[in-house]
Amino acid sequence: MIPVTKPFLPPQQEYQDLLDGIWQRQWLTNMGPLANELEEKLQKHLSVSNTLFVTNGTIALQMALKALNITGEVITTPFSFIATTSSIVWEGCTPVFVDIDAQSLNIDADKIEAAITSKTQAILATHVYGNPCDVEKIQQIADKHNLKVIYDAAHAFGVKVHGRSIFEYGDISTCSLHATKLYHSIEGGLIMAKDETIFKKLKSMRNFGFAGSEAFDELGINGKNSEFHAAMGLTNLNYVDKIHQKRKALTEAYDKGLTGFTAYKPQWHSKATLNYAYYPIILKNEEMLLKTLKKLKENNIQARRYFYPSLANSVPYLRTQSFKVADAIAKRVVCLPLYYDLDEGEVEKIIGLIN
Ligand SMILES: *Cc1c(COP(=O)(O)O)cnc(C)c1O
């Protein structure tokens, strides 16, 4: 079977070597030496500052909303993973969906202003498949209306836009280091904050709101991550360049082979680097998509309707809404297998079946 994704695993011995240190120190979690080392190394690798390693990408989103004191309406995208929407609702805020752009598949910045009300406090947008949103336009709108900007950058590890890390945009950016993501620590997440005060607040919030060991300065939660997860993150960090190269080669093979067919691919931000996190294609219609999935399945190949359905018409705790572009794209988009262990022969087979 060819799955749609397979988590990267480093040579076992390299992970084991870091575990030896954990056994010697008997320090398993709570901002241990490996977690701190991972934060430092990631900041260097990504050229970012104010970075926290947290439990997962979802809690990173929840902490972001909490740290910015968001309690009202949050403008967001219906075309994302459920965590983008659920974290807004979980924090007691109200998601206000805005349709997406048919080329980038990100929130359509030109439609944001029409959705702003007196209760709007923030924009929470996803860099879908790692493709940067129109970060400049979104910031202009936010400045004009005094709104906070949070980016769900769960897919965007390693992407640069206008020569800077994508994680530098917005008041807060979050990333997921889940096993299925491009770069992972089994479970894990990152939060990057622009403002030093917000960063300190997030740091305290991650650890129950403790100020020292006998006082509290924030409403906090347990957003810490363990030494075992940090060890996986540190080991995998030695392989990110190799992973990047391999995914690039596979992506180029798909691009080359899929030329003759009538689907299209999202248009990447013209000032951004690629991270090859996913290989989405948009078929002509849903019938073609179902036919394609069936054909692949018959050949033991798994592709994933990601994201489907649209978040605006599928979650039971929100009223159902339709959005022209998001609904149409969600019905027609599919992500093809893309992972480190996939080989070019397998990609050729997938191309042949689709064509
Ligand atoms: C994976 C993902 C998340 C959630 O991250 P976890 O680490 O699994 O909690 C949030 N948003 C998007 C867009 C994702 O793909």
Side-chain angles (χ1 to χ4, degrees):
M1 218 260 292
I2 301 178
V4 66
T5 191
K6 220 184 239 188
F8 174 82
L9 278 172
Q12 200 174 345
Q13 192 55 49
E14 291 181 29
Y15 182 62
Q16 198 69 48
D17 290 347
L18 290 179
L19 297 193
D20 288 346
I22 299 178
W23 255 258
Q24 279 161 26
R25 290 183 293 274
Q26 298 200 341
W27 187 345
L28 310 187
T29 184
N30 286 17
M31 287 72 74
L34 296 181
N36 293 336
E37 187 184 338
L38 180 63
E39 282 176 351
E40 270 168 38
K41 285 200 167 151
L42 282 173
Q43 292 187 106
K44 212 174 262 166
H45 178 82
L46 297 162
S47 301
V48 293
S49 50
N50 290 354
T51 303
L52 294 175
F53 178 47
V54 298
T55 324
N56 56 59
T58 305
I59 210 148
L61 287 169
Q62 290 172 214
M63 286 169 63
L65 289 160
K66 191 74 92 191
L68 295 170
N69 288 319
I70 310 300
T71 54
E73 292 178 1
V74 180
I75 290 178
T76 191
T77 172
F79 190 70
S80 184
F81 182 62
I82 182 65
T84 316
T85 295
S86 66
S87 55
I88 296 171
V89 177
W90 196 272
E91 289 304 317
C93 305
T94 307
V96 174
F97 293 113
V98 165
D99 206 357
I100 60 168
D101 174 76
Q103 301 306 319
S104 71
L105 310 191
N106 289 322
I107 194 166
D108 188 339
D110 291 332
K111 293 186 180 146
I112 290 177
E113 279 198 290
I116 295 174
T117 73
S118 60
K119 295 192 190 117
T120 309
Q121 293 180 333
I123 299 167
L124 169 44
T126 302
H127 302 302
V128 175
Y129 307 128
N131 184 21
C133 292
D134 192 340
V135 286
E136 292 182 325
K137 195 174 280 173
I138 291 173
Q139 194 57 54
Q140 276 167 17
I141 296 166
D143 290 343
K144 185 172 159 199
H145 296 272
N146 201 18
L147 307 176
K148 299 294 184 192
V149 179
I150 301 169
Y151 284 114
D152 181 346
H155 295 174
F157 188 90
V159 171
K160 287 195 168 182
V161 60
H162 303 292
R164 289 167 60 200
S165 167
I166 187 75
F167 295 146
E168 298 247 299
Y169 290 86
D171 293 283
I172 296 181
S173 246
T174 66
C175 187
S176 167
L177 306 185
H178 183 258
T180 53
K181 303 302 205 263
L182 183 71
Y183 161 74
H184 77 88
S185 62
I186 311 172
E187 291 274 1
L190 298 173
I191 309 185
M192 270 77 41
K194 188 173 281 168
D195 179 81
E196 195 67 34
T197 313
I198 297 293
F199 176 66
K200 288 202 177 112
K201 193 170 172 179
L202 284 163
K203 206 166 177 173
S204 168
M205 284 172 82
R206 174 176 68 172
N207 189 28
F208 308 102
F210 270 114
S213 59
E214 294 170 354
F216 303 97
D217 55 12
E218 299 293 340
L219 170 63
I221 196 162
N222 184 355
K224 297 176 273 97
N225 211 332
S226 83
E227 290 292 277
F228 292 78
H229 294 86
M232 183 59 82
L234 283 167
T235 314
N236 285 347
L237 197 53
N238 296 328
Y239 292 89
V240 279
D241 293 337
K242 244 177 122 175
I243 293 169
H244 182 88
Q245 286 310 316
K246 180 66 186 283
R247 285 173 168 271
K248 180 170 190 258
L250 296 172
T251 297
E252 285 168 359
Y254 272 129
D255 284 347
K256 199 165 151 236
L258 289 173
T259 46
F261 87 123
T262 53
Y264 77 98
K265 287 183 46 177
Q267 201 179 327
W268 203 262
H269 192 298
S270 65
K271 296 288 181 343
T273 61
L274 288 87
N275 68 353
Y276 310 103
Y278 298 91
Y279 197 89
I281 55 170
I282 300 158
L283 281 301
K284 221 176 187 170
N285 51 47
E286 193 173 23
E287 193 193 339
M288 285 264 280
L289 177 137
L290 294 173
K291 234 166 108 177
T292 305
L293 285 179
K294 186 163 169 270
K295 185 84 181 171
L296 292 173
K297 199 173 165 201
E298 284 165 6
N299 287 274
N300 267 326
I301 296 160
Q302 188 195 27
R304 185 174 176 203
R305 300 187 74 176
Y306 188 69
F307 310 103
Y308 173 84
S310 154
L311 296 172
N313 57 32
S314 60
V315 289
Y317 44 84
L318 293 174
R319 76 190 160 92
T320 295
Q321 283 175 284
S322 39
F323 289 95
K324 201 169 152 237
V325 184
D327 292 358
I329 296 291
K331 282 192 185 119
R332 295 158 53 204
V333 69
V334 60
C335 287
L336 301 180
L338 185 62
Y339 50 91
Y340 183 78
D341 290 330
L342 189 67
D343 66 51
E344 292 199 23
E346 291 169 318
V347 168
E348 292 308 327
K349 184 178 168 190
I350 295 164
I351 290 167
L353 290 166
I354 293 174
N355 283 345

